[in-house]
Amino acid sequence: MNRWKIAFFTLIGLLCAGVIALILFLDTSGKSEPLPTDDRSASKGSVLLVKASRDDVEVLANNYLRKAMKGKPLPVTIEVKDELVLYSELTVFGVTAPIYMNFDPVVLEDGNLILKQSSMEIANLNIPPATVLKVLRDSIDLPEWMIVRPKEEEIFIDLSELPVSGNLQVRAKTFNLAEDEIELEVTIPNN
């Protein structure tokens, strides 16, 4: 057999194996990290109830992301409208496609937030949300207080891990974006 034919069929075989590997990688959402347990003890201190607007939350969230990235480019940008929107870009084979992921925030009993994915747009592609979250989790170095859970199609925001100066503890009380009603409980410890 001609060596060019062997090289051609080897190349075709490698390309097919690569496409199959890519499909398998994108098709499996992988295991999600378990949610951390709330080991915060009820600290004694003064409790303040802080009301915020959607604009306030947007500025705060992007500032915390910027600080967590320590000078690196921001992998995601957060917009707060009637829903929380994460914007990012995905580059595959040299083509960059914008990604818009919409989330509904849910306040947990411990005061942390779960962002449940409600919709997603990636150019004109039809990719399952769990796959996009898996790629986001695996390709972007997010801060430790953001836990991406692809299988559940959600992002966990651990407010107890936010780096807040003065040992302040932050808990979400109300997070209704449609009504622009956002309340946070801030505990200032007694010394």
Side-chain angles (χ1 to χ4, degrees), residues 2 11 30 37 40 52 60 67 71 89 93 100 107 111 114 116 122 130 132 151:
N2 186 343
L11 180 62
T37 57
R40 291 185 283 186
L60 277 171
K67 284 181 185 177
E89 291 180 337
F93 302 120
Y100 293 96
V107 177
I114 289 278
K116 290 276 190 191
I122 300 181
V132 176
K151 196 173 193 179

Side-chain angles (χ1 to χ4, degrees), residues 68-182:
M69 296 312 296
K70 298 175 184 164
K72 296 179 202 168
L74 279 180
V76 294
T77 304
I78 297 174
E79 294 179 12
V80 182
K81 300 177 181 177
D82 283 348
E83 291 182 309
L84 196 131
V85 181
L86 249 62
Y87 168 77
S88 188
E89 291 180 337
L90 180 65
T91 304
V92 178
F93 302 120
V95 178
T96 301
I99 301 173
Y100 293 96
M101 295 177 279
N102 297 341
F103 294 91
D104 291 322
V106 177
V107 177
L108 300 176
E109 279 186 35
D110 62 2
N112 290 316
L113 290 173
I114 289 278
L115 305 178
K116 290 276 190 191
Q117 189 165 28
S118 57
S119 65
M120 172 199 67
E121 288 178 42
I122 300 181
N124 290 329
L125 302 175
N126 187 14
I127 300 174
T131 302
V132 176
L133 286 173
K134 181 182 184 298
V135 171
L136 178 72
R137 179 191 68 192
D138 295 344
S139 63
I140 296 176
D141 188 24
L142 293 171
E144 62 186 32
W145 44 267
M146 281 182 83
I147 299 172
V148 178
R149 305 183 72 217
K151 196 173 193 179
E152 291 79 8
E153 297 182 7
E154 65 187 22
I155 298 176
F156 175 73
I157 306 294
D158 192 353
L159 293 178
S160 64
E161 292 295 320
L162 276 179
V164 182
S165 62
N167 291 333
L168 302 177
Q169 292 182 351
V170 179
R171 295 169 49 99
K173 295 301 276 179
T174 307
F175 222 89
N176 184 346
L177 295 178
E179 300 292 326
D180 202 12
E181 293 177 6
I182 302 161

